[in-house]
Amino acid sequence: MSALENCWAHCLTELEGRLGADQFRIWIRPLVAEPKDDALHLIVPNQIFLQFIRDRFLGLIEEAAAGFCGGEAPTISLKVGSGPRKAAPSQSSSAVAAAPAQPRRPSSNPANPAPAQPVIAAAAANHETTRLNPNFTFETLVTGKANQLARAAAQQVAEHPGESYNPLFVYGGVGLGKTHLIQSIGNLVHQRNPAAKIRYIHAEKYVTDVVKAYQHKAFDEFKRYYHSLDLLLIDDIQFFVGKDKTQEEFFYLFNALVEGHKQIILTSDRIPREIEGLQERLTSRFSWGLTVAIEPPELEMRVAILMKKAERENFKLDSTVAFFVAKHIRSNVRELEGALKRVLAYSRFTNQPLTLDAAKEALKDILAAGNRLISVENIQKTVADFYKIKVADMHSKKRTRDIARPRQIAMTLTKELTQMSLPAIGDAFGGRDHTTVLHACRTIDEMRQNDQELGHQYSVLLQMLRS
Ligand SMILES: Nc1ncnc2c1ncn2[C@@H]1O[C@H](COP(=O)(O)OP(=O)(O)OP(=O)(O)O)[C@@H](O)[C@H]1O
């Protein structure tokens, strides 16, 4: 190996560590390095890829190369080539591709079925057996800035249930991967300890169980069952609001499990203290462990998710197509998945390669009816990014101007761009009253006339959301 090849090999190791397996596989692995005249030429598959590598990763690559070569760091250039060549050990040493792929997961082909679903908890007679989704694992979860912390915390909890953060409280908007993340914990705990009694449940089901126990005077059995769990995962805990009996029962259950070092994991669309109507003793207990957010994914992560999902369908998605879809579908991962399914189906049914034109055709009605795509989540995310605040602040009670004003702008945009009623908008913004929404719309409309800067910002946002 020449010094430059050595340098590139070092960069690969360094970058894999820094970017994580998914980002590395998608962005760095396709690069082919050609050492030439004291420079390292990195060949990329297409122009969009080139721009992306230049904007996001070139600095990192240069840093890694400088770290290896010290003062003698080579010049690194990017150019579009005819696609990555395979690097075999016997190959001439003039081109070095990135590390080999991770082993592929079993195919989704029915002839090669997914591993058996872990059965959760030998449930007591009245508590039907539930199953975790075997596809919701840490391996299939793409990590990016939006969920980095949540994932790290989840991994820690899965490896040391009942010992590190209890409860783990995960919050974030619709379709952002809360269920996927917490079920990954369940699946890993089950894999490591098949005897562990695990129950994943939606909060509404817990409410129903309490009601049934109440009706059938079967609280002893109810308690015996729930109190015997090793790991309890409850999704969408905000459904407990207004259910006093449920909250009371859950309070006892919570105490018993935590005292017994049994792990509890909860999700919600907002942080505990902002769930109005939840008893104070629960709110404070929910904050005992660790509360982590999942934010909407940024472009880079959305592309990675699309690539990974397509790969699981044994489909090689061109990065130009992935960018196109990711740029247009921004609000949440569920919508992103829906768009991907659509383009894949289109390509299969029409027997056409999945080109950019094919993707445009497949998504044409979604794109044409742009307004239908503008969801309240999309607006909240766009406005929060624009003003550099958290999406969670759209739901929060904070009244400082730097948060309240963007929130009012987002409400006004929602009124203008969607068919939602004032009460529905109020609900989507942390359960506010419709008069608050009306006041926000009037304030912003007036300010747009009198405050040039705000008027401009509003038009930019409108344009961003409609494009
Ligand atoms: N980071 C990610 N990597 C891969 N897939 C993801 C990721 N985030 C979400 N998904 C996928 O998006 C879909 C929606 O995720 P999930 O159901 O976990 O969202 P949620 O936050 O629980 O939504 P809700 O609030 O509606 O319950 C799932 O199919 C999930 O696998």
Side-chain angles (χ1 to χ4, degrees):
M1 259 201 201
S2 71
L4 279 171
E5 283 164 358
N6 260 332
C7 175
W8 180 237
H10 165 85
C11 289
L12 292 178
T13 315
E14 177 93 11
L15 290 167
E16 186 165 19
R18 291 178 70 165
L19 297 175
D22 290 327
Q23 306 258 13
F24 178 81
R25 198 180 65 250
I26 288 159
W27 299 113
I28 307 298
R29 199 174 71 205
L31 304 178
V32 176
E34 284 193 347
K36 207 168 162 197
D37 305 331
D38 291 338
L40 199 54
H41 302 282
L42 299 179
I43 319 274
V44 297
N46 57 45
Q47 194 60 33
I48 294 189
F49 213 100
L50 185 145
Q51 263 171 25
F52 206 74
I53 296 283
R54 188 167 51 212
D55 294 349
R56 310 278 177 131
F57 300 120
L58 189 57
L60 269 184
I61 298 174
E62 284 171 343
E63 242 177 64
F68 179 76
C69 310
E72 307 281 301
T75 307
I76 295 179
S77 75
L78 297 172
K79 65 176 183 189
V80 177
S82 54
R85 274 173 275 155
K86 288 222 169 68
S90 58
Q91 199 180 20
S92 103
S93 59
S94 63
V96 188
Q102 303 275 325
R104 285 185 74 84
R105 68 175 288 282
S107 107
S108 53
N109 186 327
N112 186 7
Q117 297 186 345
V119 175
I120 307 311
N126 274 352
H127 307 287
E128 76 214 32
T129 305
T130 43
R131 286 168 188 275
L132 294 174
N133 181 336
N135 295 322
F136 286 176
T137 63
F138 286 114
E139 286 74 37
T140 57
L141 185 82
V142 174
T143 312
K145 256 192 267 156
N147 66 356
Q148 222 158 27
L149 185 63
R151 188 209 167 108
Q155 192 104 30
Q156 168 79 9
V157 164
E159 282 163 15
H160 308 280
E163 288 173 26
S164 32
Y165 309 118
N166 209 4
L168 176 66
F169 193 102
V170 181
Y171 72 97
V174 171
L176 295 183
K178 299 183 295 296
T179 305
H180 188 138
L181 183 77
I182 69 167
Q183 291 211 8
S184 303
I185 302 177
N187 276 315
L188 188 59
V189 170
H190 171 79
Q191 191 188 320
R192 294 185 167 199
N193 176 11
K197 285 181 81 174
I198 304 168
R199 181 154 166 101
Y200 163 81
I201 193 173
H202 189 271
E204 266 182 324
K205 173 75 176 95
Y206 183 79
V207 175
T208 317
D209 279 359
V210 172
V211 172
K212 276 192 196 153
Y214 197 63
Q215 285 169 341
H216 300 121
K217 300 193 172 43
F219 266 113
D220 286 347
E221 190 201 344
F222 171 88
K223 278 194 180 132
R224 211 172 315 121
Y225 169 68
Y226 273 101
H227 289 220
S228 70
L229 295 173
D230 296 308
L231 170 60
L232 174 62
L233 308 132
I234 303 196
D235 232 344
D236 291 326
I237 204 83
Q238 71 273 12
F239 279 92
F240 281 6
V241 167
K243 319 278 188 336
D244 286 344
K245 185 70 189 154
T246 300
Q247 292 190 29
E248 192 185 327
E249 277 312 315
F250 190 67
F251 173 74
Y252 298 127
L253 174 60
F254 186 98
N255 290 343
L257 292 182
V258 171
E259 272 164 30
H261 298 283
K262 304 301 169 62
Q263 182 69 46
I264 300 174
I265 299 167
L266 306 168
T267 77
S268 170
D269 59 351
R270 62 204 88 156
I271 55 172
R273 69 168 178 278
E274 279 167 6
I275 310 179
E276 264 179 51
L278 204 59
Q279 295 168 6
E280 170 58 29
R281 57 185 182 168
L282 283 183
T283 310
S284 71
R285 272 168 179 73
F286 290 173
S287 313
W288 274 359
L290 182 69
T291 301
V292 279
I294 299 190
E295 292 281 334
E298 67 282 2
L299 176 68
E300 189 178 330
M301 187 171 160
R302 294 201 300 276
V303 172
I305 289 173
L306 285 170
M307 300 273 217
K308 186 151 185 154
K309 301 261 175 205
E311 194 182 293
R312 282 172 59 81
E313 302 266 323
N314 294 324
F315 211 98
K316 173 114 188 56
L317 190 64
D318 184 87
S319 58
T320 319
V321 174
F323 265 98
F324 174 77
V325 177
K327 269 191 174 164
H328 286 87
I329 315 285
R330 287 179 289 164
S331 57
N332 72 50
V333 184
R334 198 172 286 122
E335 281 184 15
L336 204 58
E337 278 184 343
L340 178 67
K341 276 190 193 136
R342 219 175 149 122
V343 292
L344 294 186
Y346 181 86
S347 157
R348 279 184 189 129
F349 292 145
T350 58
N351 222 358
Q352 275 186 42
L354 187 42
T355 57
L356 183 57
D357 283 343
K360 282 184 182 164
E361 185 61 26
L363 298 178
K364 105 175 154 215
D365 45 343
I366 297 183
L367 302 177
N371 278 355
R372 273 199 288 129
L373 247 197
I374 303 178
S375 61
V376 63
E377 291 86 6
N378 201 334
I379 294 172
Q380 289 172 333
K381 159 85 176 125
T382 307
V383 176
D385 281 355
F386 188 85
Y387 288 104
K388 300 197 169 31
I389 62 171
K390 288 188 177 157
V391 175
D393 286 329
M394 291 288 160
H395 310 277
S396 77
K397 300 287 167 224
K398 290 182 197 159
R399 294 222 181 110
T400 50
R401 177 169 295 194
D402 54 342
I403 289 181
R405 190 69 78 223
R407 190 162 53 219
Q408 287 182 319
I409 290 176
M411 286 182 196
T412 313
L413 285 162
T414 308
K415 177 86 186 63
E416 181 165 349
L417 296 173
T418 72
Q419 304 296 318
M420 287 170 72
S421 65
L422 293 177
I425 297 176
D427 275 351
F429 283 81
R432 290 178 153 77
D433 193 79
H434 75 279
T435 52
T436 310
V437 181
L438 193 62
H439 173 72
C441 296
R442 286 190 179 142
T443 308
I444 298 301
D445 284 345
E446 202 177 299
M447 286 185 78
R448 285 175 63 195
Q449 312 301 322
N450 306 323
D451 180 336
Q452 219 185 350
E453 198 187 351
L454 187 135
H456 175 67
Q457 290 171 353
Y458 193 91
S459 323
V460 171
L461 281 163
L462 262 182
Q463 211 174 20
M464 284 167 72
L465 286 161
R466 282 181 170 147
S467 64

